Amino acid sequence: MIQFRISAFTTVGSTAVMRIGGPSGGAIDMRDNSSFGCRHARSEPPIASNFYYRSIDLYCLSEDADRMDRTGLDCFVALAEELHFHRAAERCHMSQPAMSQQIRKLEHELDVRLAHRTKRVVSLTRAGEVFLVEARKTIRQMDLAVELAQRTDRGEIGQLTVGVTAPALLVVFPEIARLFRQLLPHVGLVVRELTTAEQEKSLMRGDIDVGIVHPPLEETAISTEQIGRVAYQLALPAEHRLAERETVSLADLDGEPIVIFPRQIAPQIYDTVLALCQDAGFTAKIAMEAFPAQSIIALVASGVGVGFIASETQRLARAGVVYRPIIGPVPHLAIGVAYHADGVAPAARTFLSAAHQAGRAMR
């Protein structure tokens, strides 16, 4: 128990001033004005010329003085359930005078009597019974608010906004999402289909939390981690001369019209495909650019040309289209995760972990 000693009591004009000394030897002046006051003082027998007090409940009046706090609600609920000041005080880990002070303060704030008190009996008034129901609801809601805030801070609940390129949406995202839901089932995913360049801008603006992109990126403020890569394959019209082969080389495409994704989808990969064609002895004849993969496959089925398709997962079954692997130098689709270099939220870190795990299984 902390005891305070009143070492001086005087007046300054019309203002009463108490000089209160604490157990550490320090002292403060308490003035009975609009800022400070003393609501409760209970004395023990005096020792020498000094008076020692069992408890002195000091309070500070401000603009927020009439607003209820959690301590007052907890004390009232404890008193209502125990109907005994001493047991309620023990339950709230405070002295009985402090408990009484909390109840009086709450009644003053509400301007109603919440409990009848006698030396032996404590009972709730009708107003107290009604207030008890709402006080319990308020405490539960406060506890829930704290829990939700803490779980959100740990990344256990909430939502994560993810940017995904059109190829990655088919190649790897479904597996990443499945693994992520297993790890954080209460965090929702908001998915936005964006090109790599669009994701760079969105990450810089804070519009997305993490992106699935095709590295490398140009923005140095964005961190990128490659999670895997998959080889491109060829989509051919079923009646094409190359459809009879088990495999096809890039050199076999000399003179063939080609259907490919637009350069802005993955600039480096686009340039790599054209460079490999040059290395094979010819300049790629681009008949049409299209995306996503379904569009390329549809154009191949209509006879527009030969299409480049990344990974087995994009080999959609369609009448009139066959798929063949490329032998020799093969272009690959690199897939990575991107996030702002300044830091990443806990839920985003879990997403990165799921992405790396899914990337190891890409084909």
Side-chain angles (χ1 to χ4, degrees), residues 234-245 248-260 273-274 277 281-288 300 303-308:
L234 292 176
L236 303 167
E239 302 301 323
H240 195 278
R241 62 180 179 84
L242 298 176
E244 298 178 356
R245 302 185 184 183
V248 179
S249 70
L250 289 180
D252 296 326
L253 301 182
D254 189 3
E256 294 287 342
I258 293 175
V259 181
I260 193 172
V273 171
L274 269 57
C277 290
F282 70 98
T283 299
K285 181 182 177 182
I286 306 299
M288 190 171 293
V300 171
V304 171
V306 175
F308 280 86

PDB file of all heavy atoms in Angstrom, residues 234-245 248-260 273-274 277 281-288 300 303-308:
ATOM      1  N   LEU A 234       4.430 -24.169 -77.684  1.00  0.00           N
ATOM      2  CA  LEU A 234       3.761 -23.667 -78.875  1.00  0.00           C
ATOM      3  C   LEU A 234       2.352 -24.215 -78.978  1.00  0.00           C
ATOM      4  O   LEU A 234       2.119 -25.408 -78.728  1.00  0.00           O
ATOM      5  CB  LEU A 234       4.541 -24.052 -80.133  1.00  0.00           C
ATOM      6  CG  LEU A 234       5.904 -23.382 -80.312  1.00  0.00           C
ATOM      7  CD1 LEU A 234       6.589 -23.940 -81.563  1.00  0.00           C
ATOM      8  CD2 LEU A 234       5.764 -21.872 -80.412  1.00  0.00           C
ATOM      9  N   ALA A 235       1.428 -23.328 -79.295  1.00  0.00           N
ATOM     10  CA  ALA A 235       0.058 -23.738 -79.631  1.00  0.00           C
ATOM     11  C   ALA A 235      -0.053 -23.701 -81.148  1.00  0.00           C
ATOM     12  O   ALA A 235       0.227 -22.663 -81.770  1.00  0.00           O
ATOM     13  CB  ALA A 235      -0.947 -22.799 -78.980  1.00  0.00           C
ATOM     14  N   LEU A 236      -0.444 -24.826 -81.760  1.00  0.00           N
ATOM     15  CA  LEU A 236      -0.483 -24.955 -83.220  1.00  0.00           C
ATOM     16  C   LEU A 236      -1.885 -25.317 -83.684  1.00  0.00           C
ATOM     17  O   LEU A 236      -2.591 -26.081 -82.999  1.00  0.00           O
ATOM     18  CB  LEU A 236       0.484 -26.051 -83.684  1.00  0.00           C
ATOM     19  CG  LEU A 236       1.952 -25.912 -83.275  1.00  0.00           C
ATOM     20  CD1 LEU A 236       2.694 -27.218 -83.540  1.00  0.00           C
ATOM     21  CD2 LEU A 236       2.590 -24.759 -84.019  1.00  0.00           C
ATOM     22  N   PRO A 237      -2.289 -24.828 -84.863  1.00  0.00           N
ATOM     23  CA  PRO A 237      -3.537 -25.346 -85.450  1.00  0.00           C
ATOM     24  C   PRO A 237      -3.394 -26.849 -85.683  1.00  0.00           C
ATOM     25  O   PRO A 237      -2.318 -27.321 -86.078  1.00  0.00           O
ATOM     26  CB  PRO A 237      -3.659 -24.571 -86.767  1.00  0.00           C
ATOM     27  CG  PRO A 237      -2.834 -23.336 -86.554  1.00  0.00           C
ATOM     28  CD  PRO A 237      -1.701 -23.745 -85.669  1.00  0.00           C
ATOM     29  N   ALA A 238      -4.419 -27.586 -85.408  1.00  0.00           N
ATOM     30  CA  ALA A 238      -4.346 -29.055 -85.503  1.00  0.00           C
ATOM     31  C   ALA A 238      -3.919 -29.533 -86.882  1.00  0.00           C
ATOM     32  O   ALA A 238      -3.290 -30.602 -87.017  1.00  0.00           O
ATOM     33  CB  ALA A 238      -5.694 -29.659 -85.121  1.00  0.00           C
ATOM     34  N   GLU A 239      -4.216 -28.771 -87.944  1.00  0.00           N
ATOM     35  CA  GLU A 239      -3.862 -29.173 -89.307  1.00  0.00           C
ATOM     36  C   GLU A 239      -2.528 -28.584 -89.753  1.00  0.00           C
ATOM     37  O   GLU A 239      -2.140 -28.751 -90.922  1.00  0.00           O
ATOM     38  CB  GLU A 239      -4.974 -28.720 -90.275  1.00  0.00           C
ATOM     39  CG  GLU A 239      -6.356 -29.269 -89.945  1.00  0.00           C
ATOM     40  CD  GLU A 239      -6.372 -30.790 -89.957  1.00  0.00           C
ATOM     41  OE1 GLU A 239      -5.679 -31.374 -90.819  1.00  0.00           O
ATOM     42  OE2 GLU A 239      -7.070 -31.381 -89.122  1.00  0.00           O
ATOM     43  N   HIS A 240      -1.804 -27.923 -88.852  1.00  0.00           N
ATOM     44  CA  HIS A 240      -0.540 -27.298 -89.222  1.00  0.00           C
ATOM     45  C   HIS A 240       0.506 -28.378 -89.528  1.00  0.00           C
ATOM     46  O   HIS A 240       0.485 -29.466 -88.950  1.00  0.00           O
ATOM     47  CB  HIS A 240      -0.045 -26.404 -88.085  1.00  0.00           C
ATOM     48  CG  HIS A 240       1.026 -25.443 -88.469  1.00  0.00           C
ATOM     49  ND1 HIS A 240       2.354 -25.807 -88.549  1.00  0.00           N
ATOM     50  CD2 HIS A 240       0.980 -24.118 -88.798  1.00  0.00           C
ATOM     51  CE1 HIS A 240       3.074 -24.755 -88.897  1.00  0.00           C
ATOM     52  NE2 HIS A 240       2.253 -23.713 -89.061  1.00  0.00           N
ATOM     53  N   ARG A 241       1.444 -28.031 -90.392  1.00  0.00           N
ATOM     54  CA  ARG A 241       2.469 -28.984 -90.786  1.00  0.00           C
ATOM     55  C   ARG A 241       3.340 -29.422 -89.623  1.00  0.00           C
ATOM     56  O   ARG A 241       3.858 -30.549 -89.599  1.00  0.00           O
ATOM     57  CB  ARG A 241       3.348 -28.378 -91.886  1.00  0.00           C
ATOM     58  CG  ARG A 241       4.107 -27.127 -91.452  1.00  0.00           C
ATOM     59  CD  ARG A 241       4.974 -26.539 -92.560  1.00  0.00           C
ATOM     60  NE  ARG A 241       5.676 -25.337 -92.115  1.00  0.00           N
ATOM     61  CZ  ARG A 241       6.831 -25.347 -91.450  1.00  0.00           C
ATOM     62  NH1 ARG A 241       7.422 -26.495 -91.146  1.00  0.00           N
ATOM     63  NH2 ARG A 241       7.392 -24.204 -91.092  1.00  0.00           N
ATOM     64  N   LEU A 242       3.523 -28.524 -88.621  1.00  0.00           N
ATOM     65  CA  LEU A 242       4.363 -28.862 -87.474  1.00  0.00           C
ATOM     66  C   LEU A 242       3.617 -29.677 -86.417  1.00  0.00           C
ATOM     67  O   LEU A 242       4.240 -30.183 -85.481  1.00  0.00           O
ATOM     68  CB  LEU A 242       4.918 -27.586 -86.842  1.00  0.00           C
ATOM     69  CG  LEU A 242       5.833 -26.728 -87.724  1.00  0.00           C
ATOM     70  CD1 LEU A 242       6.230 -25.444 -86.999  1.00  0.00           C
ATOM     71  CD2 LEU A 242       7.083 -27.516 -88.126  1.00  0.00           C
ATOM     72  N   ALA A 243       2.302 -29.799 -86.566  1.00  0.00           N
ATOM     73  CA  ALA A 243       1.512 -30.528 -85.569  1.00  0.00           C
ATOM     74  C   ALA A 243       1.842 -32.014 -85.561  1.00  0.00           C
ATOM     75  O   ALA A 243       1.579 -32.715 -84.567  1.00  0.00           O
ATOM     76  CB  ALA A 243       0.028 -30.317 -85.833  1.00  0.00           C
ATOM     77  N   GLU A 244       2.424 -32.524 -86.653  1.00  0.00           N
ATOM     78  CA  GLU A 244       2.760 -33.943 -86.721  1.00  0.00           C
ATOM     79  C   GLU A 244       3.985 -34.273 -85.891  1.00  0.00           C
ATOM     80  O   GLU A 244       4.228 -35.442 -85.575  1.00  0.00           O
ATOM     81  CB  GLU A 244       3.001 -34.333 -88.182  1.00  0.00           C
ATOM     82  CG  GLU A 244       1.787 -34.151 -89.084  1.00  0.00           C
ATOM     83  CD  GLU A 244       2.093 -34.493 -90.526  1.00  0.00           C
ATOM     84  OE1 GLU A 244       3.292 -34.798 -90.821  1.00  0.00           O
ATOM     85  OE2 GLU A 244       1.174 -34.463 -91.352  1.00  0.00           O
ATOM     86  N   ARG A 245       4.776 -33.277 -85.507  1.00  0.00           N
ATOM     87  CA  ARG A 245       5.998 -33.509 -84.761  1.00  0.00           C
ATOM     88  C   ARG A 245       5.718 -33.592 -83.256  1.00  0.00           C
ATOM     89  O   ARG A 245       4.780 -32.990 -82.745  1.00  0.00           O
ATOM     90  CB  ARG A 245       7.011 -32.408 -85.043  1.00  0.00           C
ATOM     91  CG  ARG A 245       7.373 -32.251 -86.514  1.00  0.00           C
ATOM     92  CD  ARG A 245       8.452 -31.224 -86.660  1.00  0.00           C
ATOM     93  NE  ARG A 245       8.772 -30.963 -88.063  1.00  0.00           N
ATOM     94  CZ  ARG A 245       9.736 -30.135 -88.470  1.00  0.00           C
ATOM     95  NH1 ARG A 245      10.447 -29.457 -87.552  1.00  0.00           N
ATOM     96  NH2 ARG A 245       9.963 -29.957 -89.761  1.00  0.00           N
ATOM     97  N   VAL A 248       9.135 -29.093 -81.404  1.00  0.00           N
ATOM     98  CA  VAL A 248       9.364 -28.088 -82.439  1.00  0.00           C
ATOM     99  C   VAL A 248      10.480 -27.163 -81.956  1.00  0.00           C
ATOM    100  O   VAL A 248      10.523 -26.787 -80.785  1.00  0.00           O
ATOM    101  CB  VAL A 248       8.090 -27.270 -82.718  1.00  0.00           C
ATOM    102  CG1 VAL A 248       8.357 -26.215 -83.776  1.00  0.00           C
ATOM    103  CG2 VAL A 248       6.951 -28.185 -83.158  1.00  0.00           C
ATOM    104  N   SER A 249      11.382 -26.797 -82.861  1.00  0.00           N
ATOM    105  CA  SER A 249      12.427 -25.825 -82.539  1.00  0.00           C
ATOM    106  C   SER A 249      12.002 -24.454 -83.032  1.00  0.00           C
ATOM    107  O   SER A 249      11.136 -24.329 -83.905  1.00  0.00           O
ATOM    108  CB  SER A 249      13.766 -26.239 -83.177  1.00  0.00           C
ATOM    109  OG  SER A 249      13.694 -26.094 -84.585  1.00  0.00           O
ATOM    110  N   LEU A 250      12.647 -23.434 -82.495  1.00  0.00           N
ATOM    111  CA  LEU A 250      12.324 -22.080 -82.943  1.00  0.00           C
ATOM    112  C   LEU A 250      12.671 -21.885 -84.414  1.00  0.00           C
ATOM    113  O   LEU A 250      11.979 -21.142 -85.131  1.00  0.00           O
ATOM    114  CB  LEU A 250      13.063 -21.052 -82.084  1.00  0.00           C
ATOM    115  CG  LEU A 250      12.572 -20.887 -80.638  1.00  0.00           C
ATOM    116  CD1 LEU A 250      13.407 -19.842 -79.910  1.00  0.00           C
ATOM    117  CD2 LEU A 250      11.095 -20.490 -80.595  1.00  0.00           C
ATOM    118  N   ALA A 251      13.703 -22.547 -84.872  1.00  0.00           N
ATOM    119  CA  ALA A 251      14.087 -22.427 -86.282  1.00  0.00           C
ATOM    120  C   ALA A 251      12.976 -22.894 -87.207  1.00  0.00           C
ATOM    121  O   ALA A 251      12.858 -22.414 -88.347  1.00  0.00           O
ATOM    122  CB  ALA A 251      15.369 -23.203 -86.540  1.00  0.00           C
ATOM    123  N   ASP A 252      12.140 -23.825 -86.724  1.00  0.00           N
ATOM    124  CA  ASP A 252      11.037 -24.323 -87.543  1.00  0.00           C
ATOM    125  C   ASP A 252       9.963 -23.264 -87.774  1.00  0.00           C
ATOM    126  O   ASP A 252       9.080 -23.448 -88.621  1.00  0.00           O
ATOM    127  CB  ASP A 252      10.394 -25.553 -86.880  1.00  0.00           C
ATOM    128  CG  ASP A 252      11.359 -26.729 -86.795  1.00  0.00           C
ATOM    129  OD1 ASP A 252      12.193 -26.876 -87.714  1.00  0.00           O
ATOM    130  OD2 ASP A 252      11.285 -27.494 -85.810  1.00  0.00           O
ATOM    131  N   LEU A 253      10.016 -22.165 -87.027  1.00  0.00           N
ATOM    132  CA  LEU A 253       8.987 -21.125 -87.139  1.00  0.00           C
ATOM    133  C   LEU A 253       9.340 -20.063 -88.171  1.00  0.00           C
ATOM    134  O   LEU A 253       8.584 -19.092 -88.325  1.00  0.00           O
ATOM    135  CB  LEU A 253       8.773 -20.454 -85.776  1.00  0.00           C
ATOM    136  CG  LEU A 253       8.328 -21.366 -84.624  1.00  0.00           C
ATOM    137  CD1 LEU A 253       8.116 -20.545 -83.365  1.00  0.00           C
ATOM    138  CD2 LEU A 253       7.083 -22.147 -84.989  1.00  0.00           C
ATOM    139  N   ASP A 254      10.467 -20.234 -88.875  1.00  0.00           N
ATOM    140  CA  ASP A 254      10.867 -19.265 -89.891  1.00  0.00           C
ATOM    141  C   ASP A 254       9.754 -19.117 -90.932  1.00  0.00           C
ATOM    142  O   ASP A 254       9.339 -20.092 -91.559  1.00  0.00           O
ATOM    143  CB  ASP A 254      12.161 -19.722 -90.561  1.00  0.00           C
ATOM    144  CG  ASP A 254      12.750 -18.657 -91.480  1.00  0.00           C
ATOM    145  OD1 ASP A 254      12.173 -17.550 -91.546  1.00  0.00           O
ATOM    146  OD2 ASP A 254      13.777 -18.945 -92.109  1.00  0.00           O
ATOM    147  N   GLY A 255       9.265 -17.887 -91.077  1.00  0.00           N
ATOM    148  CA  GLY A 255       8.217 -17.607 -92.037  1.00  0.00           C
ATOM    149  C   GLY A 255       6.809 -17.809 -91.519  1.00  0.00           C
ATOM    150  O   GLY A 255       5.825 -17.464 -92.210  1.00  0.00           O
ATOM    151  N   GLU A 256       6.671 -18.360 -90.300  1.00  0.00           N
ATOM    152  CA  GLU A 256       5.341 -18.608 -89.746  1.00  0.00           C
ATOM    153  C   GLU A 256       4.793 -17.354 -89.065  1.00  0.00           C
ATOM    154  O   GLU A 256       5.524 -16.655 -88.353  1.00  0.00           O
ATOM    155  CB  GLU A 256       5.392 -19.746 -88.717  1.00  0.00           C
ATOM    156  CG  GLU A 256       5.744 -21.105 -89.300  1.00  0.00           C
ATOM    157  CD  GLU A 256       4.606 -21.685 -90.104  1.00  0.00           C
ATOM    158  OE1 GLU A 256       3.445 -21.221 -89.935  1.00  0.00           O
ATOM    159  OE2 GLU A 256       4.858 -22.604 -90.900  1.00  0.00           O
ATOM    160  N   PRO A 257       3.505 -17.042 -89.274  1.00  0.00           N
ATOM    161  CA  PRO A 257       2.891 -15.943 -88.503  1.00  0.00           C
ATOM    162  C   PRO A 257       2.788 -16.342 -87.035  1.00  0.00           C
ATOM    163  O   PRO A 257       2.427 -17.479 -86.708  1.00  0.00           O
ATOM    164  CB  PRO A 257       1.515 -15.777 -89.155  1.00  0.00           C
ATOM    165  CG  PRO A 257       1.228 -17.099 -89.785  1.00  0.00           C
ATOM    166  CD  PRO A 257       2.554 -17.689 -90.199  1.00  0.00           C
ATOM    167  N   ILE A 258       3.105 -15.411 -86.156  1.00  0.00           N
ATOM    168  CA  ILE A 258       3.173 -15.705 -84.723  1.00  0.00           C
ATOM    169  C   ILE A 258       2.165 -14.842 -83.964  1.00  0.00           C
ATOM    170  O   ILE A 258       2.035 -13.639 -84.224  1.00  0.00           O
ATOM    171  CB  ILE A 258       4.600 -15.461 -84.182  1.00  0.00           C
ATOM    172  CG1 ILE A 258       5.562 -16.483 -84.801  1.00  0.00           C
ATOM    173  CG2 ILE A 258       4.627 -15.531 -82.659  1.00  0.00           C
ATOM    174  CD1 ILE A 258       7.009 -16.242 -84.434  1.00  0.00           C
ATOM    175  N   VAL A 259       1.487 -15.466 -83.021  1.00  0.00           N
ATOM    176  CA  VAL A 259       0.579 -14.764 -82.094  1.00  0.00           C
ATOM    177  C   VAL A 259       1.271 -14.734 -80.730  1.00  0.00           C
ATOM    178  O   VAL A 259       1.630 -15.792 -80.186  1.00  0.00           O
ATOM    179  CB  VAL A 259      -0.787 -15.461 -81.985  1.00  0.00           C
ATOM    180  CG1 VAL A 259      -1.700 -14.683 -81.040  1.00  0.00           C
ATOM    181  CG2 VAL A 259      -1.424 -15.606 -83.354  1.00  0.00           C
ATOM    182  N   ILE A 260       1.457 -13.554 -80.171  1.00  0.00           N
ATOM    183  CA  ILE A 260       2.210 -13.415 -78.927  1.00  0.00           C
ATOM    184  C   ILE A 260       1.536 -12.365 -78.041  1.00  0.00           C
ATOM    185  O   ILE A 260       0.754 -11.539 -78.516  1.00  0.00           O
ATOM    186  CB  ILE A 260       3.678 -13.032 -79.226  1.00  0.00           C
ATOM    187  CG1 ILE A 260       4.561 -13.194 -77.993  1.00  0.00           C
ATOM    188  CG2 ILE A 260       3.768 -11.622 -79.791  1.00  0.00           C
ATOM    189  CD1 ILE A 260       6.055 -13.022 -78.288  1.00  0.00           C
ATOM    190  N   VAL A 273      12.003 -13.517 -76.543  1.00  0.00           N
ATOM    191  CA  VAL A 273      11.433 -14.365 -77.603  1.00  0.00           C
ATOM    192  C   VAL A 273      11.923 -13.887 -78.971  1.00  0.00           C
ATOM    193  O   VAL A 273      12.374 -14.693 -79.813  1.00  0.00           O
ATOM    194  CB  VAL A 273       9.891 -14.346 -77.537  1.00  0.00           C
ATOM    195  CG1 VAL A 273       9.300 -15.057 -78.766  1.00  0.00           C
ATOM    196  CG2 VAL A 273       9.405 -15.024 -76.259  1.00  0.00           C
ATOM    197  N   LEU A 274      11.861 -12.589 -79.201  1.00  0.00           N
ATOM    198  CA  LEU A 274      12.297 -12.053 -80.496  1.00  0.00           C
ATOM    199  C   LEU A 274      13.793 -12.251 -80.706  1.00  0.00           C
ATOM    200  O   LEU A 274      14.244 -12.565 -81.824  1.00  0.00           O
ATOM    201  CB  LEU A 274      11.943 -10.568 -80.597  1.00  0.00           C
ATOM    202  CG  LEU A 274      10.566 -10.243 -81.207  1.00  0.00           C
ATOM    203  CD1 LEU A 274       9.438 -10.911 -80.445  1.00  0.00           C
ATOM    204  CD2 LEU A 274      10.339  -8.732 -81.269  1.00  0.00           C
ATOM    205  N   CYS A 277      14.520 -15.823 -81.648  1.00  0.00           N
ATOM    206  CA  CYS A 277      14.173 -16.052 -83.054  1.00  0.00           C
ATOM    207  C   CYS A 277      15.289 -15.520 -83.963  1.00  0.00           C
ATOM    208  O   CYS A 277      15.663 -16.174 -84.961  1.00  0.00           O
ATOM    209  CB  CYS A 277      12.854 -15.372 -83.398  1.00  0.00           C
ATOM    210  SG  CYS A 277      11.400 -16.155 -82.634  1.00  0.00           S
ATOM    211  N   GLY A 281      18.041 -17.533 -86.695  1.00  0.00           N
ATOM    212  CA  GLY A 281      18.259 -17.209 -88.093  1.00  0.00           C
ATOM    213  C   GLY A 281      17.121 -16.508 -88.792  1.00  0.00           C
ATOM    214  O   GLY A 281      17.149 -16.385 -90.023  1.00  0.00           O
ATOM    215  N   PHE A 282      16.144 -16.007 -88.086  1.00  0.00           N
ATOM    216  CA  PHE A 282      15.037 -15.310 -88.752  1.00  0.00           C
ATOM    217  C   PHE A 282      14.446 -14.245 -87.833  1.00  0.00           C
ATOM    218  O   PHE A 282      14.685 -14.243 -86.625  1.00  0.00           O
ATOM    219  CB  PHE A 282      13.949 -16.311 -89.175  1.00  0.00           C
ATOM    220  CG  PHE A 282      13.180 -16.900 -88.016  1.00  0.00           C
ATOM    221  CD1 PHE A 282      11.935 -16.383 -87.652  1.00  0.00           C
ATOM    222  CD2 PHE A 282      13.697 -17.961 -87.264  1.00  0.00           C
ATOM    223  CE1 PHE A 282      11.231 -16.916 -86.593  1.00  0.00           C
ATOM    224  CE2 PHE A 282      12.990 -18.485 -86.205  1.00  0.00           C
ATOM    225  CZ  PHE A 282      11.756 -17.973 -85.864  1.00  0.00           C
ATOM    226  N   THR A 283      13.703 -13.340 -88.434  1.00  0.00           N
ATOM    227  CA  THR A 283      12.985 -12.305 -87.684  1.00  0.00           C
ATOM    228  C   THR A 283      11.544 -12.750 -87.491  1.00  0.00           C
ATOM    229  O   THR A 283      10.874 -13.145 -88.452  1.00  0.00           O
ATOM    230  CB  THR A 283      13.011 -10.965 -88.432  1.00  0.00           C
ATOM    231  OG1 THR A 283      14.371 -10.548 -88.587  1.00  0.00           O
ATOM    232  CG2 THR A 283      12.240  -9.898 -87.679  1.00  0.00           C
ATOM    233  N   ALA A 284      11.114 -12.709 -86.227  1.00  0.00           N
ATOM    234  CA  ALA A 284       9.754 -13.167 -85.925  1.00  0.00           C
ATOM    235  C   ALA A 284       8.718 -12.345 -86.677  1.00  0.00           C
ATOM    236  O   ALA A 284       8.803 -11.112 -86.723  1.00  0.00           O
ATOM    237  CB  ALA A 284       9.503 -13.077 -84.424  1.00  0.00           C
ATOM    238  N   LYS A 285       7.779 -13.027 -87.277  1.00  0.00           N
ATOM    239  CA  LYS A 285       6.705 -12.389 -88.031  1.00  0.00           C
ATOM    240  C   LYS A 285       5.465 -12.317 -87.135  1.00  0.00           C
ATOM    241  O   LYS A 285       4.714 -13.277 -87.019  1.00  0.00           O
ATOM    242  CB  LYS A 285       6.429 -13.197 -89.297  1.00  0.00           C
ATOM    243  CG  LYS A 285       5.342 -12.620 -90.192  1.00  0.00           C
ATOM    244  CD  LYS A 285       5.127 -13.536 -91.403  1.00  0.00           C
ATOM    245  CE  LYS A 285       4.008 -13.029 -92.280  1.00  0.00           C
ATOM    246  NZ  LYS A 285       3.756 -13.943 -93.442  1.00  0.00           N
ATOM    247  N   ILE A 286       5.286 -11.199 -86.460  1.00  0.00           N
ATOM    248  CA  ILE A 286       4.183 -11.063 -85.504  1.00  0.00           C
ATOM    249  C   ILE A 286       2.891 -10.800 -86.265  1.00  0.00           C
ATOM    250  O   ILE A 286       2.716  -9.737 -86.881  1.00  0.00           O
ATOM    251  CB  ILE A 286       4.455  -9.918 -84.500  1.00  0.00           C
ATOM    252  CG1 ILE A 286       5.810 -10.109 -83.826  1.00  0.00           C
ATOM    253  CG2 ILE A 286       3.326  -9.840 -83.470  1.00  0.00           C
ATOM    254  CD1 ILE A 286       5.930 -11.375 -83.029  1.00  0.00           C
ATOM    255  N   ALA A 287       1.981 -11.775 -86.240  1.00  0.00           N
ATOM    256  CA  ALA A 287       0.697 -11.618 -86.922  1.00  0.00           C
ATOM    257  C   ALA A 287      -0.286 -10.843 -86.058  1.00  0.00           C
ATOM    258  O   ALA A 287      -1.072 -10.033 -86.575  1.00  0.00           O
ATOM    259  CB  ALA A 287       0.116 -12.988 -87.259  1.00  0.00           C
ATOM    260  N   MET A 288      -0.234 -11.091 -84.734  1.00  0.00           N
ATOM    261  CA  MET A 288      -1.173 -10.410 -83.834  1.00  0.00           C
ATOM    262  C   MET A 288      -0.665 -10.548 -82.401  1.00  0.00           C
ATOM    263  O   MET A 288      -0.022 -11.539 -82.047  1.00  0.00           O
ATOM    264  CB  MET A 288      -2.580 -11.027 -83.959  1.00  0.00           C
ATOM    265  CG  MET A 288      -3.673 -10.231 -83.251  1.00  0.00           C
ATOM    266  SD  MET A 288      -5.334 -10.858 -83.654  1.00  0.00           S
ATOM    267  CE  MET A 288      -5.433 -10.420 -85.395  1.00  0.00           C
ATOM    268  N   VAL A 300      -5.226 -18.952 -82.477  1.00  0.00           N
ATOM    269  CA  VAL A 300      -4.567 -20.108 -83.097  1.00  0.00           C
ATOM    270  C   VAL A 300      -5.607 -21.045 -83.708  1.00  0.00           C
ATOM    271  O   VAL A 300      -5.449 -21.541 -84.838  1.00  0.00           O
ATOM    272  CB  VAL A 300      -3.702 -20.858 -82.063  1.00  0.00           C
ATOM    273  CG1 VAL A 300      -3.194 -22.190 -82.640  1.00  0.00           C
ATOM    274  CG2 VAL A 300      -2.537 -19.998 -81.610  1.00  0.00           C
ATOM    275  N   GLY A 303      -6.736 -20.060 -87.030  1.00  0.00           N
ATOM    276  CA  GLY A 303      -5.750 -20.114 -88.091  1.00  0.00           C
ATOM    277  C   GLY A 303      -4.942 -18.856 -88.286  1.00  0.00           C
ATOM    278  O   GLY A 303      -4.255 -18.713 -89.307  1.00  0.00           O
ATOM    279  N   VAL A 304      -4.969 -17.938 -87.316  1.00  0.00           N
ATOM    280  CA  VAL A 304      -4.220 -16.691 -87.459  1.00  0.00           C
ATOM    281  C   VAL A 304      -2.712 -16.939 -87.453  1.00  0.00           C
ATOM    282  O   VAL A 304      -1.955 -16.282 -88.161  1.00  0.00           O
ATOM    283  CB  VAL A 304      -4.614 -15.694 -86.348  1.00  0.00           C
ATOM    284  CG1 VAL A 304      -3.694 -14.473 -86.344  1.00  0.00           C
ATOM    285  CG2 VAL A 304      -6.059 -15.273 -86.515  1.00  0.00           C
ATOM    286  N   GLY A 305      -2.277 -17.895 -86.623  1.00  0.00           N
ATOM    287  CA  GLY A 305      -0.852 -18.179 -86.563  1.00  0.00           C
ATOM    288  C   GLY A 305      -0.513 -19.177 -85.475  1.00  0.00           C
ATOM    289  O   GLY A 305      -1.385 -19.858 -84.925  1.00  0.00           O
ATOM    290  N   VAL A 306       0.789 -19.238 -85.158  1.00  0.00           N
ATOM    291  CA  VAL A 306       1.316 -20.114 -84.110  1.00  0.00           C
ATOM    292  C   VAL A 306       1.461 -19.281 -82.837  1.00  0.00           C
ATOM    293  O   VAL A 306       1.986 -18.161 -82.882  1.00  0.00           O
ATOM    294  CB  VAL A 306       2.679 -20.698 -84.536  1.00  0.00           C
ATOM    295  CG1 VAL A 306       3.280 -21.506 -83.396  1.00  0.00           C
ATOM    296  CG2 VAL A 306       2.530 -21.551 -85.781  1.00  0.00           C
ATOM    297  N   GLY A 307       1.014 -19.817 -81.714  1.00  0.00           N
ATOM    298  CA  GLY A 307       1.020 -19.036 -80.481  1.00  0.00           C
ATOM    299  C   GLY A 307       2.016 -19.511 -79.445  1.00  0.00           C
ATOM    300  O   GLY A 307       2.337 -20.702 -79.373  1.00  0.00           O
ATOM    301  N   PHE A 308       2.524 -18.579 -78.650  1.00  0.00           N
ATOM    302  CA  PHE A 308       3.400 -18.897 -77.519  1.00  0.00           C
ATOM    303  C   PHE A 308       2.555 -18.949 -76.243  1.00  0.00           C
ATOM    304  O   PHE A 308       1.893 -17.974 -75.883  1.00  0.00           O
ATOM    305  CB  PHE A 308       4.498 -17.844 -77.379  1.00  0.00           C
ATOM    306  CG  PHE A 308       5.648 -18.024 -78.325  1.00  0.00           C
ATOM    307  CD1 PHE A 308       5.596 -17.487 -79.607  1.00  0.00           C
ATOM    308  CD2 PHE A 308       6.775 -18.742 -77.943  1.00  0.00           C
ATOM    309  CE1 PHE A 308       6.649 -17.653 -80.487  1.00  0.00           C
ATOM    310  CE2 PHE A 308       7.839 -18.917 -78.821  1.00  0.00           C
ATOM    311  CZ  PHE A 308       7.776 -18.374 -80.098  1.00  0.00           C
TER     312      PHE A 308
END
